[in-house]
Each structure stands twice: as C-alpha cells, then as structure tokens.
Amino acid sequence: MGTGFEPRILVFLCNWCSYVGADLAGVSRIQYPPNVIPIRVMCSGRVDPKFVIEAFKRGADGILVTGCHLGDCHYIDGNYMAEVRMKFVKEFLGEAGLRGLCCKICMMGPCKLDPAVGVVRTICGADVDTVVARSLVRSIAGGCAAHADHAFEAAHTLYLLSKRESGNFPYKVTDEEKLKTVAKKLGIEIEGKKVSDIAKEVSEKALEDYGRVHSETLNFLRAYAPKKRIEIFEKLGVLPRAIWREICEAMHRTTTGVDVDPTNLLLHGVRTALADCYAELIATELQDVLFGTPKPVEAVANLGVLDAKKVNLIIHGHNPLLSMKVVEAATSEEMLSLTKDVGAEGINVAGICCTGNEVLMRFGVPAAGNVLHQEMALATGAIEAMVVDYQCIFPAVMDVAKCFHTKLITTMPVAKIPGAIHLEWSPEKADEVAKETVKTAIENFKNRDAGRVYIPDVKNKCIAGFSVEAIVKALGGTLEPLLKAVKNGDIYGIVGIVGCNNPKVTQDSGHVTIAKELIANNVLTLGTGCWSIAAAKHGLMSLDAQKLAGERLRGILEALKIPPCLHMGSCVDNSRILNAVFAVAEALGVDVPDLPIFGSAPEAMSEKAVAIGTWFVAHGVNVHLGTVPPVLGSEKVTRLLTEDIVKHTGARFVVEPDPKKAASLILEHIANRRKALGLSS
Amino acid sequence: MGQIEREAPRIGIFVCHCGINIGGVVNVPEVVEYAKKLPNVVHAEDNLYTCSSQGLGKIKESIRKYNLNRVIVASCTPRTHEPLFRSACEEAGVNKYLFEMANIREQCSWVHMHVPREATEKAKDLIRMAVARARLLEPQVEVEIDVEPSALVIGAGIAGMNAALCLANRGFKVYLVEKEPDVGGMLRRLYRMYPTGQTASEVLEPVVRAVKSHEKIELLTSTIIKSVKGFIGNFDVTAERAGKEVKFKVGTIIVATGAVEYEPVGLYGYGKYKGAITQLQLEEMFRNGKLGKPDAVVMILCVGAREPEGRTYCGRICCATSIKNALLIKGASPETDVYILYRDLQAYGKEYEEYHRMAREAGITFVNYVPDNPPKVLEEPSGKLKVKVYDALLYMDIEIPCDLVVLSTPLVQHEYGKELSRMLKVPLGSDGFFLEAHVKLRPVDFATDGIYVCGTAHSPKDVSESVMQAYAAASRASIPMAMGRVKSEAIIASVYEDKCMGCGLCKDLCKFGAIVIEGRRAKVIAPLCKGCGMCAASCPSNSLIMKHFTDHQVIAQINAAFGGM
C-alpha cells in the first residue's frame, strides 16, 4: 500500500441511459481518468450482487452501478430495483466485514460502521479504530490459541512419557540429541541425568510457560530470542508472561467496555503474538524430540500420488501425534495382510495440510495437497478414509465424503464433525486409534465404485525436511558457507514464504509466482505450511528446479545438491525459520531488521497467519501479505501496522495482492539492506 | 447443442483507427499485436475505417479465410455501427449474436485524449474483456410470431371511437368495449367545446354514427374486460356482458379508458353549500337550461391540482374550460359578474391566448390568488355565498358576494383503470395515469409490446389532443397487424429447469408478466420477455439464464478487467 494509489473502478452501465451518457461524455470530449472500466448491461437491474462481489474479489477498488433516472427506466422499474438491491449489497459487504468495521462482540449489535454514510461509532461509542483493533487482537488470540493448544499436547505427551520408565506407552524420545540441545538452551543441567529425567524437566519448563503465575517471561523466549529483541520487547512492555494468560487477557480486553485505546490494544496483540511464537517453538522442538528432527527426504506431491490400486488413506490436520502413529500402523505387516483380503495392493497414506508436512518431512509420506485440496482429494472417489485431527478441516469435507464411499474419521475431542466416525485419540490410546483408523479404511475398500474413480495424473518430485539442523549439516556443519554466499551475493537474500491457501487467490498462484520471481533473482526461499506443499506440487522443491534459479544462486544449489525452495516443515515450524534468522543475525553480528531477508504470506487465510505475521514483524522481519486483512476500515490501525510499527520493531507489514509486484518490493528491500550492510549488490 | 458451441472459438479482431479519432491517441498497431496474443484469437488487423465498405469487406473476407466464428470490432460505440457490423457477419455466415464490440472511441480515445499511453493500455483492457466475453457468446435465434389481425379498443369515448375507426378503416377487425350502456364517454356530459363553440353532440354524433355502422367494428357496450392473457399478436380476451362471458382473440390492444373529474369534497364549501359546484356540474346546468341569470359567479382554478404531493400535475384543460364557461355565462346573461380566481393562467397554444383576451374584453374579472393564502368560501345568512380572497396583484383582501362558486378540478384515474393496469400488466405513473414506454420516443406505446394508450387515460387532454393521440395509437397498433408477423426479442431469459426450485421470486419481480410457475418450475413466456435481466440477477439458485448477458459472460468480462483470462 504505497503512496500514489490509483483505484481501479468498474462501472456497470445500463444500455439505455448510462451507456449513452458515457458515449456523450466521449462526444463532448469530457476527460476522465483511464482507470475507469465500463461494462455494458441491458438494465441496471441485471447487476447481480455476485458481479459486485466477484469484481471486489478480483481486485476492483470501487464499483459504480449506473442506470436510468428514477421513474425513467426502459424496463419500467429495473433501476429502482437495482438501487434497492445495491443498498442491500452495500449492507452485506459491510456485514461481511471486509474492512473490519462490523463489531459483533456484544448483543447490542452487530454494529456496522460506515464512515461514508456518517456511521462512525457503535452503540457503545467505540469508533472505527477501536472496532478494527479489537477484532484484529481477537484474531491474534484465536491463532495463538490454536498453536498453543497444539503445542500443549506435545509438551504434555512428553511429560506423560517422562513419568513412565518403561511399559507400553505409545510414544518415546526419538531424538535424544535434540532433547539435550533444548535442555541446554533452557539452562537445564543434563550431565549424568537419564533421558526420561531430562524429558521431564524440559516438558515442565514448557508447561510452566502456559500458566506461570509470576510476571516473568516465557522460559522458551528467554532461551531462544536474541538479547536485542528481548530488550525491545521489554521496552514496549510486550514480553508475554504466560501463554494462557495472554490469550485470556486478549479476550478480556476486547470484550464490551474494557480496552478501547487502539495503540494499547495492538500492543497486547503483539504480546499475544509473541506468546503464539514461542508456543509454536515448543511444538516444533518437542515434536522433533518425540519423532526425530527432519532430514532431507525424497517424496512426491500433488493429487497424482493417490493410487487406484491401493487403499488410500488421507491424513489431514496439524498434529503429528496422531498422523505419525497412523503411518506406523499403515506400514505394519498386520495391516498389509488385511489389504490382501480386500483385494487391494497395499495401503497408500497421503497427507493434506500440515500434519501431511509432519509425516512428509520425517517419513517421505506423499503429499496429496494443501488446504484447498482437501475436497479435491475426496472428489477423486479413491479415498477410503480421511482421518483428521484439528485446524483447517473444512466442514465441507463431510458433504463431499457423503457423495462417495469415503469415511471421515475425527479423532480429537476438541474437533468433532456431525456425520463423521469419531475415534478418540489420547496419548495412551494412540496405537489403538491408529490401528482402528487404518482398519476402517481397509474395510471400506470394497465399497469403492471403480467407475467413479478419477485420479488426475499430476505429481512432482520434491525434497522435504530442511530443518535448521539439516541445513547446517548440508553446509558441512557450519553456517559459514551460507554467510559467505550471502556476503558475496551468490545468495542475494533469503525469504521465508509461509501460509495458507485462500480462495480469493487462484490456488497456489501467489505462492508459486512469488517463489519463481525470487529464485530467478538469486534469492533463496524457504518456508512452511501450505506454501511448502504448493512449491512441492509445482516442482520447485526438486533438484530440477535449480534451473529456474538465477545463475549465481544456481551455482550454490548445485554445489550443495539442494533445491531453490527449501521445505522447513508445517506451520508451527515457522519457529524454524525464526531460529534460522536468529542464527544468521548472530553470526553476522547484526540485529534482525538489518538482514537482507523478508517474510511473505501470499495467500494468507487463517487467524493463525495473523498471529504469525505479527510476531515476525515483532522480531524485526518485514512481512508481505497477498490478501488484505480486515483492517482497512481504520486508517490509524492500517498506518500502525504498515508504517508506524517500523519505529519500534524495525519491520512492518506490506500488503500487495499482485505477486510479481510483491516480489519486486521484496527485492528492493533486500537491495537496500545489502547496501546498508556494505554487501555487494 | 449447436455446431458453434462445439467448435473452439476462433476470434477475429478488427481494430479501427477511425481516421485519427482513435489512431491519434491509441497506439493501434501495438493494440493489434497485443490482441493477436490473446487466447482463441486467430486473426487481428487494423483498419483506417472498419465501417467503410472496404472495412466490412475485410471482415467478411477474414471470416472465410480464417474460418472465424467470433468477430470483435474495436472502434466506436455499439449504438452507432453495431447493426452494420452484425449484418456483415450474417452475410458471411456468422450469427450476429457472435459479434462483439469494444468501444475504444467514445469510452477511450475521446475521453483520455491527453494520456495516450494509458489510453492504449485501456484499449487493450477493453479488447481483452471483449475477447473474454466473445469466447462465451452463443448464437441466438429471433423467433417470428404470427399476429392476429384484430384489435381490442377499451373505452368508447372520443379517443377510443376514433382509434377504432382508424383501425377499422384500414380493414382490421376491432372489438370496441365500453363499460357504460352508451358510447361517448365524458363528451356526453359536456355542453359546448372551446375554442369553436360547437356543441359536444355536434362533435360526437358523426363519430358515433360511423362507429355503430362500421362493419369491421363490433361494439360491446355495458361490457367489462375480465381477463387478458397472452402477448403481442396473440391476446386472449375474456369480457363480461350482461352476466355472460364473451371471448375473442386480438393481436393488439388500445387502452382508451378515459378519466373522471376529481370531486373536491371538503374544498371551498363543496358538498357543504348548494352553490359550490364543479365545472362539469356547470356544463350540465347549461345543457339543462338551469343556469338562469345569477348576479355573480366565481370560478376558482387549480382546485385539488398542482399540489405538493399526490395530484402534482396541472389539470391542463381547466383554464380554457373556465374561460369558455365564463364567456358562455356572459353571453347568456350579460348582467352577471363573472370572476376567475387563478394561480397561474395557462392559456397555451395558438388559439387560447386570444380566447383569454376575448374574456377580459367581455368584462370577466381575473383575480390572481396565491396558494399560501387561498380563497375562502362562506355562506351569508341570506343563503348567498361570499368569496374572500387576497388579490396578489392589488395586495389587498377583497370580498365577492355571489350565487355560484364553480371549482375547476383536474381529471383523475378511475378504479377501473387501476384494475386494468394490473390485468394488462402495464404501469401507471405516480400521478395515477397510464405510463407510456418513453415520454418522447414512444409516447403512445406501453413498454409491453402490442399494447398502446390514448386519450385522457394517459393524461388530462382536450378533445383535439385526445383525437390526435387516438390516431397515433391506431397507427402504431396497425404496424404489427399489417406486417402479420413480429420478430420476438432474442436477448431474453430462459430457465435451467434442473436447478429451478420454483420459488417464484422471478415471477414477482418481472414487470412484464413474462414468467409463470408451472409444475414448480419457472417458465419464461418468450414473447413477453424484454430482456432486462432482473430475474437472472435475483435468482437464488442461479437457474435463470439471461441470454447474451449470462453470468459466465459478465463474470468473464469482470475477470478480464482485472487481468484474468
């Protein structure tokens, strides 16, 4: 949202008066700006609300519906009907909260503000800035709650595990090295201690971060964040005290009649986002402890990974505690023999969304797709069962599953779907549930209608599993080669690309376009979540993609035998990107905002993305958003996020829906940083 | 599915320089190069004037040479040359609805004259949008409908009878329906006409005789219309006469139902004092010779007319009527003082101003009153009336003792007219009178084809104006009947029956009665549909398809407007 904004305005013209009027403007040589685009319809009454919505979705900044003078309609009263209809459309658009101006917090409302018609305060007197800030803080709290609950499950499982010396607990410490590294960072003495004791102490430190009583900050923040950042957080008063507490306080502050100062609200938004950040970090670190730190692994991605001859089982959601177990069960001899009984040639487990990323980077389990592929996968008619945990599971999958033989299996007590089979997971019952799930899928194979199976023949090879540890290893055990490449310009900059799919953007087009533009300009890209699956689907995570990289970057990629887009994991693994940033900043001896780096979420959708974007900015990483968050209703909040915040954290949000333009903005920023650091351009 | 829909679109684009009108601003060769790269475009060229015979020849030649099945001309507004380009397409065997225009003159080069770079980019945008739309265009067929060579004229007043005579004299069968036992309408109640002084019966009788004796006119008096179904060329009419149903079929309908005088109950003592009457009641007194020789008569104009709300219109005939009646009183009784109390005197046209002067010369007193301080009518103990009025020219209050107060009130629509409006699905304006399709361009047509209006059913008029409009309506109605066939509109709605759930929203919104619900599905009566698209914009299940402006086509244009394809 730079200066010199030129709105693109679409005008619907009725054939009889308005179109003639526009022609008359031409005949009279009346000049008007060229960013007005006409579309002729017979009557203004033809303008369907969906035309208006489509136009806004595709990038219109304003829409003008024109018709005959009232009382003079060629079709009696089409213009009158159009006027009435457009009033409703306006109201509807307001209600949809595209600008964040709908407050639904209390039952006096909903209050829909529209400064254009003079409605500038809610019934309780909150102005546009308060309404936008409150709803933004609630979004951050929602995102934080999702990650925090997920991470809690990992910490709690590690804690339960540490208390059982032996026996048949389904989980174990897979990566002792990682456990020790984490313990050391947290300041835990490990010499001579048993693994289970270290696990207990680490998990207690994590659990303590949720509900500590005293106003210190999180153990994990103290252990991982650079000193400079902690000082900034302290100065701003945004050091999170306890994860649950920040979420609770966010909800408290935003309820009726509490905090209405937009700046004060947004500061707490930053604090809640930081709580989110270190909750994600807990999830990443402890999941690595439980399941192993990812190492580069070859796999395939896209719907073509489904196999018509095998039992296809989709795992979808975010928590690896379940999906890892399902993969284990599916590869057991017992289950494989069952498949023979039903006439299948085996079991094919494929992932959707982030739980798919978790098993992709640890086992090379194929990725069927990212979040917008969940219904597509079912529509192949080849899925025996989809097993889900939580987050980003569209309720629509139930309706699609019903169209086929597919069984939908929910597993988490916090996420049930009417119509689905519910097999409830708990740490103790994980193996049983996993087995039952796989069995359900196998038994359902006989119900498949082969005539309705259509698996698109599209898939690409990819290499996944670039944890920070794996990257360091690929570099020969030290960051030095990477730093050298950054310094000499072989690697021009590093950009982390993350986030969802959003139907407002053609699926993956934002992700792929921005990645291609950047690597062509010698920028190394790395990322997580739905971006990483998008990049994998489009072949950008294969060695073949090295040829898409700029000449200088290509040399490095070929030497290291890595693709130009690095898969760092699921969306909680944004913490891996942050750790990489910390490591580079430390090695170069500068603060984060000085680095030639950028963050980008080209197709952001979820509340989680709002939290993630906010903590990246808080840590000094500029963040590009390809979709516009509902904040434009408040100039003040918009300015705080896109301009003023830079004075405090050294970074800001940049909104640019066009991925090519976004890429050039990012490249410009990198160029400036390189210049400031005195690096070659 | 026709052949065209199965074939992949092969688009030809002709970008016109229009001399320097377009080419002087827009970089036409650059636009042509851009157009060539758009999807499904197999040919693009520029012409100095695409509308010249040479340009049209190039279109036809290219259709054959490149096997084009869609044609786009990027030039001026479609409102000038679209028919020309369409017929060039038809001549080369491409359905005219597969032609599309991009308006890069009126809506581009002429309005962005000083920014040639931006204008060139906009021309590209407009052409890209035209391509997006053209790819989805479908051929349309204009169906021909037979027209029944007979007409229904509703109302046998002076307008209706003249319209009926015109049509009958052209040889068309006419059903002339009158709800009263006798013909003549309002004219039967009048005495003498302005400005000729002829009696009403002198005007009326020859027309009545001609109507009654005409072999092509079937006169149905004491008859009311019960229902009208169908569309232009094929209306099924059911009428009721003496308790019996009469059914017949006609091709066209003329509404000549007239109007009634507004009864000013509660205004200026009307209904309270015996001496307060309307102009129509005065005419009846003349006819019956009951006027006598009053000492004084006061006429008040604009009673219940030109009001801020409701009857906002001017009664049009009242000024001339009151002047005429004042002169008649003066003629019969020179001793009688006659006063005309007016707001604004509208003696318009070629004879009425002279008529006004005659009245002043005859000693009739004109008093200007203001609506803020209107006259007051009081009764004196003697039983005589007294009018108090502030004379806006003398700046003083005056009092006029009189025998009669005659109120000039406007014509208004009657209940039967309102019922007929619903039955025929033709609209009434906010003033209550029947509303024509366009005040200037189609003054006697309704928006619904095949139905016309004339006389005071349309607005207050005097006899000569009513007769003129009757001739006009008859002339318009005779066109489809003389042709024998009409082409129905091709750009109409149709229903995707599998999706329709029969909610009926479209039926309620359609002002032309073109949608019926049959078997829980909407059905479009093609000849009634005018193609506005209101139904398609409102259908909750997207099952109404507006041909030539389908959702897909419009959304493709929107998408292309923002760079998508």
Side-chain angles (χ1 to χ4, degrees):
Chain A
M1 307 248 130
T3 48
F5 170 65
E6 279 293 331
R8 218 161 147 78
I9 298 166
L10 196 66
V11 186
F12 290 99
L13 300 157
C14 92
N15 185 53
W16 305 97
C17 294
S18 317
Y19 198 87
V20 180
D23 282 348
L24 185 61
V27 173
S28 319
R29 305 297 196 276
I30 295 170
Q31 304 295 299
Y32 56 83
N35 41 334
V36 176
I37 313 152
I39 289 187
R40 181 169 69 128
V41 287
M42 293 308 278
C43 177
S44 53
R46 174 67 186 103
V47 181
D48 193 315
K50 64 176 169 279
F51 297 168
V52 175
I53 292 162
E54 285 293 326
F56 276 129
K57 270 165 58 181
R58 287 165 209 264
D61 299 299
I63 292 165
L64 186 61
V65 178
T66 60
C68 299
H69 307 95
L70 287 179
D72 201 11
C73 176
H74 188 79
Y75 302 102
I76 304 175
D77 65 355
N79 55 354
Y80 175 73
M81 303 299 277
E83 190 191 29
V84 173
R85 183 187 287 137
M86 287 310 135
K87 276 186 188 157
F88 279 109
V89 171
K90 267 186 159 174
E91 197 153 306
F92 168 77
L93 289 174
E95 224 167 59
L98 280 175
R99 294 183 294 156
L101 288 179
C102 180
C103 179
K104 296 179 290 179
I105 287 170
C106 78
M107 284 182 283
M108 294 190 284
C111 295
K112 287 161 283 181
L113 303 189
D114 191 346
V117 295
V119 186
V120 294
R121 284 186 185 271
T122 61
I123 188 107
C124 68
D127 61 11
V128 288
D129 302 325
T130 301
V131 168
V132 168
R134 279 201 302 219
S135 87
L136 185 69
V137 171
R138 285 205 160 195
S139 283
I140 294 172
C144 179
H147 288 138
D149 220 16
H150 169 172
F152 185 85
E153 223 121 41
H156 190 234
T157 302
L158 185 65
Y159 176 75
L160 292 177
L161 154 69
S162 70
K163 302 233 295 182
R164 302 191 187 207
E165 290 284 318
S166 59
N168 52 359
F169 192 69
Y171 298 96
K172 63 176 198 292
V173 171
T174 304
D175 193 339
E176 288 183 18
E177 272 311 301
K178 178 95 185 206
L179 176 67
K180 286 177 183 160
T181 311
V182 175
K184 269 191 252 171
K185 280 208 158 211
L186 289 166
I188 296 167
E189 187 56 53
I190 57 170
E191 278 313 309
K193 277 188 189 159
K194 282 192 293 183
V195 167
S196 59
D197 289 341
I198 303 172
K200 181 162 176 289
E201 284 186 53
V202 166
S203 61
E204 278 172 350
K205 285 271 185 199
L207 293 173
E208 195 183 35
D209 278 350
Y210 280 84
R212 73 171 59 252
V213 188
H214 307 294
S215 294
E216 296 156 19
T217 194
L218 311 180
N219 296 323
F220 275 74
L221 190 149
R222 281 256 180 252
Y224 283 78
K227 267 208 181 73
K228 272 188 193 162
R229 284 289 126 185
I230 296 178
E231 279 165 20
I232 289 168
F233 300 155
E234 250 169 349
K235 205 171 137 204
L236 283 174
V238 296
L239 270 179
R241 297 150 299 183
I243 297 167
W244 292 155
R245 180 171 175 185
E246 305 312 349
I247 299 167
C248 176
E249 189 175 308
M251 298 312 283
H252 175 199
R253 281 191 182 206
T254 52
T255 197
T256 312
V258 186
D259 196 356
V260 293
D261 177 339
T263 313
N264 203 39
L265 277 163
L266 290 179
L267 281 172
H268 185 70
V270 172
R271 175 148 61 182
T272 312
L274 288 173
D276 174 84
C277 175
Y278 291 91
E280 286 182 50
L281 196 138
I282 290 171
T284 299
E285 299 297 76
L286 303 192
Q287 283 168 186
D288 280 358
V289 169
L290 287 167
F291 305 114
T293 304
K295 294 190 276 286
V297 56
E298 284 187 22
V300 276
N302 216 341
L303 287 176
V305 305
L306 300 174
D307 191 332
K309 291 179 185 146
K310 289 183 180 169
V311 172
N312 288 304
L313 173 59
I314 295 274
I315 43 179
H316 174 20
H318 286 77
N319 195 330
L321 288 167
L322 176 81
S323 58
M324 294 295 289
K325 284 289 161 192
V326 171
V327 173
E328 265 177 45
T331 45
S332 69
E333 277 306 315
E334 182 194 350
M335 291 296 150
L336 283 175
S337 67
L338 284 180
T339 58
K340 284 182 196 121
D341 301 344
V342 297
E345 291 182 6
I347 308 176
N348 181 39
V349 180
I352 296 256
C353 229
C354 280
T355 209
N357 275 322
E358 299 280 0
V359 289
L360 166 66
M361 65 188 175
R362 293 202 176 86
F363 291 148
V365 168
N370 39 7
V371 62
L372 279 190
H373 260 25
Q374 54 190 297
E375 292 152 279
M376 309 294 168
L378 298 188
T380 60
I383 310 298
E384 275 55 56
M386 175 183 263
V387 54
V388 301
D389 49 76
Y390 44 50
Q391 297 170 21
C392 304
I393 321 293
F394 292 172
V397 289
M398 191 64 241
D399 300 282
V400 184
K402 274 186 200 158
C403 299
F404 299 93
H405 70 302
T406 310
K407 302 260 194 251
L408 183 65
I409 303 169
T410 53
T411 55
M412 292 293 166
V414 301
K416 293 187 180 182
I417 299 175
I421 301 167
H422 188 69
L423 301 171
E424 191 155 309
W425 173 91
S426 67
E428 294 82 2
K429 288 201 298 181
D431 282 325
E432 270 169 62
V433 170
K435 228 183 242 180
E436 189 61 31
T437 302
V438 177
K439 236 189 229 171
T440 308
I442 296 169
E443 280 162 12
N444 195 25
F445 183 74
K446 61 178 186 296
N447 297 322
R448 186 196 287 182
D449 179 353
R452 296 185 67 205
V453 171
Y454 172 72
I455 300 173
D457 185 21
V458 284
K459 58 183 167 192
N460 261 310
K461 280 192 199 157
C462 64
I463 302 174
F466 288 95
S467 57
V468 178
E469 292 84 340
I471 294 174
V472 173
K473 200 175 166 204
L475 293 169
T478 159
L479 277 177
E480 209 39 56
L482 178 80
L483 299 177
K484 200 178 133 205
V486 170
K487 281 179 190 159
N488 71 18
D490 285 348
I491 295 176
Y492 189 60
I494 303 173
V495 173
I497 319 180
V498 302
C500 333
N501 281 146
N502 186 326
K504 288 179 179 171
V505 181
T506 304
Q507 190 184 358
D508 299 342
S509 68
H511 288 324
V512 172
T513 309
I514 212 162
K516 282 186 176 168
E517 289 286 318
L518 291 174
I519 60 178
N521 284 286
N522 299 307
V523 171
L524 182 66
T525 61
L526 39 86
T528 62
C530 285
W531 173 77
S532 53
I533 299 179
K537 281 194 296 182
H538 289 84
L540 299 177
M541 289 184 165
S542 67
L543 293 180
D544 282 350
Q546 286 172 347
K547 64 175 183 285
L548 299 173
E551 204 178 324
R552 298 188 66 175
L553 177 65
R554 193 159 65 224
I556 297 281
L557 300 174
E558 281 166 359
L560 296 173
K561 296 193 176 58
I562 58 170
C565 297
L566 300 183
H567 181 290
M568 289 194 91
S570 68
C571 50
V572 288
D573 293 333
N574 285 316
S575 59
R576 293 192 205 275
I577 301 179
L578 190 66
N579 275 331
V581 168
F582 291 163
V584 173
E586 195 189 346
L588 287 174
V590 296
D591 192 13
V592 176
D594 302 327
L595 296 174
I597 60 169
F598 221 95
S600 171
E603 302 178 25
M605 161 279 280
S606 163
E607 286 183 326
K608 295 183 285 178
V610 182
I612 294 167
T614 308
W615 63 247
F616 264 121
V617 171
H619 279 103
V621 182
N622 285 294
V623 171
H624 155 251
L625 296 175
T627 47
V628 187
V631 299
L632 297 186
S634 162
E635 269 186 48
K636 181 168 187 160
V637 173
T638 307
R639 207 173 48 240
L640 268 168
L641 298 172
T642 58
E643 293 171 26
D644 298 351
I645 194 169
V646 80
K647 286 182 254 168
H648 305 288
T649 72
R652 62 188 183 109
F653 282 99
V654 176
V655 179
E656 177 51 68
D658 182 334
K660 286 199 175 172
K661 283 188 191 158
S664 52
L665 279 172
I666 291 172
L667 289 168
E668 198 184 313
H669 175 83
I670 289 175
N672 290 337
R673 284 294 172 271
R674 292 191 69 87
K675 205 172 163 194
L677 284 173
L679 302 178
S680 62
S681 50
Chain B
M1 200 186 259
Q3 203 185 340
I4 287 289
E5 287 107 308
R6 280 201 305 271
E7 283 175 8
R10 294 179 60 80
I11 303 174
I13 301 182
F14 301 84
V15 186
C16 183
H17 286 267
C18 194
I20 58 162
N21 280 301
I22 295 169
V25 177
V26 171
N27 183 339
V28 172
E30 182 185 325
V31 169
V32 170
E33 284 314 305
Y34 174 81
K36 279 180 182 165
K37 297 191 191 90
L38 291 169
N40 298 99
V41 174
V42 292
H43 172 68
E45 65 174 60
D46 55 336
N47 318 107
L48 189 57
Y49 288 104
T50 313
C51 61
S52 66
S53 59
Q54 201 186 6
L56 297 173
K58 294 275 257 177
I59 293 177
K60 287 187 266 188
E61 184 192 316
S62 304
I63 288 173
R64 284 185 281 269
K65 191 167 162 195
Y66 302 102
N67 195 21
L68 303 179
N69 56 20
R70 304 285 191 287
V71 174
I72 295 172
V73 172
S75 62
C76 47
T77 169
R79 297 186 61 89
T80 53
H81 288 324
E82 189 174 58
L84 187 70
F85 295 129
R86 278 181 161 186
S87 45
C89 290
E90 294 233 293
E91 283 167 35
V94 171
N95 182 284
K96 69 182 188 186
Y97 290 94
L98 298 174
F99 170 79
E100 176 66 11
M101 270 180 104
N103 183 347
I104 61 166
R105 191 180 74 177
E106 279 84 346
Q107 297 182 12
C108 186
S109 68
W110 278 354
V111 288
H112 311 310
M113 292 169 77
H114 311 305
V115 282
R117 186 67 249 146
E118 286 87 345
T120 303
E121 291 307 315
K122 181 165 173 180
K124 290 179 189 172
D125 288 347
L126 293 172
I127 289 171
R128 187 174 66 245
M129 289 163 71
V131 168
R133 176 171 153 79
R135 291 206 290 178
L136 300 171
L137 286 176
E138 289 169 2
Q140 307 294 344
V141 185
E142 291 166 351
V143 180
E144 288 204 343
I145 314 163
D146 286 331
V147 178
E148 183 78 27
S150 62
L152 162 66
V153 178
I154 309 172
I158 193 68
M161 286 192 295
N162 273 296
L165 276 172
C166 278
L167 288 172
N169 289 340
R170 280 210 61 177
F172 299 116
K173 165 91 183 173
V174 180
Y175 297 89
L176 179 58
V177 173
E178 171 57 52
K179 70 179 190 318
E180 301 295 328
D182 203 358
V183 297
M186 181 69 88
L187 213 48
R188 277 190 301 121
R189 301 173 62 185
L190 302 185
Y191 177 52
R192 281 184 189 274
M193 307 280 90
Y194 64 79
T196 59
Q198 271 181 303
T199 63
S201 52
E202 280 174 310
V203 175
L204 196 56
E205 283 317 312
V207 183
V208 173
R209 272 198 302 279
V211 163
K212 287 190 172 167
S213 62
H214 207 296
E215 56 169 7
K216 285 281 185 183
I217 297 179
E218 189 170 333
L219 179 62
L220 301 159
T221 50
S222 303
T223 303
I224 51 166
I225 305 292
K226 296 304 281 185
S227 84
V228 176
K229 296 227 157 65
F231 42 85
I232 182 170
N234 301 274
F235 292 107
D236 290 307
V237 184
T238 307
E240 191 184 289
R241 188 183 202 190
K244 279 188 196 155
E245 259 191 9
V246 190
K247 284 179 184 272
F248 48 90
K249 205 173 169 77
V250 296
T252 57
I253 298 172
I254 293 176
V255 175
T257 45
V260 291
E261 187 195 44
Y262 170 63
E263 251 204 292
V265 179
L267 296 175
Y268 303 106
Y270 184 85
K272 192 170 164 196
Y273 311 134
K274 211 168 136 249
I277 60 171
T278 65
Q279 290 285 3
L280 197 56
Q281 288 166 329
L282 178 65
E283 300 258 355
E284 273 165 6
M285 287 174 85
F286 284 139
R287 286 166 63 95
N288 303 329
K290 284 193 177 162
L291 182 67
K293 292 191 184 299
D295 290 336
V297 176
V298 174
M299 295 183 179
I300 303 176
L301 305 194
C302 295
V303 174
R306 301 172 68 203
E307 295 192 326
E309 277 170 42
R311 292 173 304 275
T312 53
Y313 53 93
C314 162
R316 186 175 178 99
I317 55 175
C318 327
C319 287
T321 301
S322 53
I323 292 169
K324 175 205 70 175
N325 286 345
L327 279 167
L328 286 173
I329 294 169
K330 260 303 197 208
S333 167
E335 303 305 314
T336 304
D337 291 327
V338 185
Y339 299 84
I340 293 180
L341 277 44
Y342 66 96
R343 266 172 72 183
D344 302 282
L345 207 63
Q346 314 216 6
Y348 65 93
K350 66 172 183 178
E351 281 143 336
Y352 303 148
E353 185 54 32
E354 200 180 333
Y355 206 51
H356 169 211
R357 203 178 311 130
M358 259 170 70
R360 288 189 182 264
E361 281 164 7
I364 291 160
T365 311
F366 287 81
V367 178
N368 185 213
Y369 77 88
V370 288
D372 293 346
N373 188 8
K376 287 175 196 67
V377 180
L378 307 164
E379 197 177 36
E380 303 221 73
S382 62
K384 279 203 159 199
L385 297 176
K386 186 166 77 183
V387 178
K388 281 184 165 182
V389 60
Y390 173 74
D391 188 319
L393 298 179
L394 297 179
Y395 299 111
M396 61 185 283
D397 291 304
I398 56 172
E399 288 189 8
I400 312 165
C402 59
D403 306 277
L404 277 179
V405 173
V406 185
L407 307 175
S408 285
T409 64
L411 293 175
V412 292
Q413 184 60 272
H414 45 67
E415 282 306 311
Y416 184 57
K418 292 174 193 166
E419 199 184 318
L420 213 54
S421 150
R422 285 189 288 269
M423 206 186 296
L424 296 170
K425 298 187 181 71
V426 293
L428 301 177
S430 55
D431 51 20
F433 290 98
F434 283 101
L435 184 69
E436 69 279 13
H438 190 284
V439 65
K440 287 187 165 55
L441 302 175
R442 294 173 66 196
V444 298
D445 298 4
F446 279 114
T448 305
D449 288 342
I451 309 183
Y452 313 87
V453 67
C454 63
T456 53
H458 167 264
S459 64
K461 287 181 187 68
D462 63 21
V463 172
S464 63
E465 289 164 340
S466 293
V467 172
M468 279 189 267
Q469 209 183 17
Y471 291 166
S475 163
R476 292 290 291 166
S478 68
I479 296 170
M481 294 196 291
M483 296 297 291
R485 296 167 83 74
V486 285
K487 268 193 175 176
S488 78
E489 184 65 59
I491 302 178
I492 58 167
S494 67
V495 179
Y496 182 28
E497 288 188 13
D498 287 353
K499 277 169 83 182
C500 176
M501 53 190 181
C503 72
L505 184 61
C506 50
K507 173 177 163 282
D508 294 344
L509 285 172
C510 181
K511 283 290 172 301
F512 305 99
I515 298 178
V516 290
I517 303 292
E518 275 181 16
R520 308 190 68 182
R521 294 281 186 278
K523 190 181 153 193
V524 175
I525 303 164
L528 283 180
C529 178
K530 309 295 288 179
C532 64
M534 173 62 71
C535 52
S538 312
C539 178
S541 62
N542 290 328
S543 42
L544 265 148
I545 301 153
M546 182 61 227
K547 290 179 187 170
H548 209 58
F549 288 91
T550 65
D551 287 0
H552 290 311
Q553 289 163 359
V554 178
I555 289 172
Q557 265 179 297
I558 294 170
N559 191 19
F562 298 99
M565 202 68 210

